[in-house]
Amino acid sequence: MTAMLQASRIWKSFGDHVVLKGVDLAVERGEVVAVLGPSGSGKSTLLRCLNFLETPDSGSVTLGDERIGVLEKQGTLYESTPVQLAAQRARMGMVFQRFNLFGHMSALDNVTAPLRIVRGMSPSDARQRGEAILTRVGLAEHAQKRPPQLSGGQQQRVAIARAIAMEPEAILFDEPTSALDPELVHEVLDVMADLAREGMTMVVVTHEIGFARHVASRVLFMDDGAIVEEGDARAVLDSPANPRTQAFLAKVR
Ligand SMILES: Nc1ncnc2c1ncn2[C@@H]1O[C@H](COP(=O)(O)OP(=O)(O)OP(=O)(O)O)[C@@H](O)[C@H]1O
Ligand SMILES: [Mg+2]
């Protein structure tokens, strides 16, 4: 079976700094993969290469049966146009550490704007879907508030709602809770755990070992631009084989 999201031999450098060294990643439909690793190991860069927010220097990414960032015409590969790339990116949601919401728009408008603008949905259909999804993430009564009127945990749930609303095939999360006050972390992790239970395909860069243990099916450990260990979440977390994984886990626990 081919994986739903597959990255092969991804290399990426910034200047002469080689940040990703031939990373392979395959994520099955409905799988939740947690990506752990020290700062600077390339986790965010890998995530950003998956949806071509960064263009890999070489390697390929496929989602379903479509190459991301590249079009094949009669055996020749062409770079996707910005419009084509935007359409491909819309198939993968992305949730960032710092929410990236529009501060001047209500929570509801943050969720519905991409539905109207990217999907061409009517305002009333978009509002209906937006309200239903805000309810799902526990924010029904906050729909009309703007991000500055919401807590960090609530803002991150708006960002997750915005991603879900687009009905993506997978959602990529880059440290979604690391900008939050500790007491707000669980409300965001709970929403993510619900999503996982509903079968969403997720790649989650996180330092939340508890989340990785209980929600992820698989853990990848990155160090210095490479995946140095991967496997069943509990197996890797309870008895890591690689000394670098061992050292990292000893520090974050
Ligand atoms: N746009 C960029 N230009 C230059 N260097 C970059 C750029 N993005 C990332 N890097 C460098 O690439 C390396 C990997 O960065 P990346 O953000 O992927 O690490 P990370 O594992 O996500 O770290 P953290 O846990 O701190 O978020 C770092 O040394 C970083 O400074
Ligand atoms: Mg990062």
Side-chain angles (χ1 to χ4, degrees), residues 14 17 19 37-46 54 174-175 207:
F14 295 108
H17 181 187
V19 173
S39 182
S41 56
K43 306 180 298 296
S44 296
T45 305
L46 174 61
E54 296 287 357
D174 193 358
E175 299 200 33
H207 292 294

Side-chain angles (χ1 to χ4, degrees), residues 162-243:
R162 178 179 56 184
I164 302 171
M166 296 291 281
E167 299 179 313
E169 288 158 65
I171 303 185
L172 314 175
F173 295 83
D174 193 358
E175 299 200 33
T177 61
S178 53
L180 299 177
D181 291 337
E183 71 273 20
L184 302 178
V185 166
H186 71 94
E187 65 186 52
V188 171
L189 294 181
D190 286 350
V191 165
M192 293 169 61
D194 283 345
L195 258 184
R197 267 192 296 273
E198 289 159 17
M200 180 61 78
T201 306
M202 299 161 63
V203 181
V204 186
V205 174
T206 184
H207 292 294
E208 295 292 335
I209 303 299
F211 175 84
R213 177 189 304 278
H214 296 294
V215 181
S217 33
R218 192 148 54 92
V219 164
L220 307 181
F221 183 78
M222 282 188 77
D223 195 23
D224 196 20
I227 295 172
V228 297
E229 181 160 6
E230 70 177 292
D232 172 78
R234 284 170 204 236
V236 170
L237 294 170
D238 291 341
S239 40
N242 188 292

Side-chain angles (χ1 to χ4, degrees), residues 137-149:
V137 301
L139 293 175
E141 68 276 32
H142 298 293
Q144 293 309 327
K145 292 186 183 163
R146 284 177 289 107
Q149 301 169 302

Side-chain angles (χ1 to χ4, degrees), residues 44-206:
S44 296
T45 305
L46 174 61
L47 223 55
R48 294 166 61 80
C49 281
L50 292 178
N51 64 3
F52 272 62
L53 285 176
E54 296 287 357
T55 308
D57 298 333
S58 63
S60 66
V61 179
T62 54
L63 178 64
D65 51 14
E66 192 173 301
R67 273 283 293 269
I68 301 295
V70 168
L71 288 180
E72 192 181 330
K73 266 188 221 150
Q74 287 148 8
T76 308
L77 296 178
Y78 299 90
E79 237 177 80
S80 300
T81 65
V83 171
Q84 290 161 340
L85 193 52
Q88 294 183 323
R89 271 199 201 117
R91 298 172 56 198
M92 279 183 266
M94 180 120 192
V95 174
F96 302 91
Q97 184 174 352
R98 301 219 155 263
F99 327 139
N100 296 31
L101 298 171
F102 292 112
H104 63 290
M105 284 167 30
S106 68
L108 182 60
D109 286 341
N110 267 282
V111 175
T112 60
L115 293 175
R116 288 183 280 110
I117 296 164
V118 181
R119 283 286 150 81
M121 216 181 236
S122 75
S124 68
D125 286 353
R127 190 173 59 244
Q128 212 171 13
R129 183 185 294 184
E131 283 170 349
I133 290 169
L134 284 174
T135 302
R136 204 165 128 193
V137 301
L139 293 175
E141 68 276 32
H142 298 293
Q144 293 309 327
K145 292 186 183 163
R146 284 177 289 107
Q149 301 169 302
L150 297 170
S151 73
Q154 290 168 337
Q155 290 181 58
Q156 191 59 300
R157 284 186 281 149
V158 174
I160 294 172
R162 178 179 56 184
I164 302 171
M166 296 291 281
E167 299 179 313
E169 288 158 65
I171 303 185
L172 314 175
F173 295 83
D174 193 358
E175 299 200 33
T177 61
S178 53
L180 299 177
D181 291 337
E183 71 273 20
L184 302 178
V185 166
H186 71 94
E187 65 186 52
V188 171
L189 294 181
D190 286 350
V191 165
M192 293 169 61
D194 283 345
L195 258 184
R197 267 192 296 273
E198 289 159 17
M200 180 61 78
T201 306
M202 299 161 63
V203 181
V204 186
V205 174
T206 184

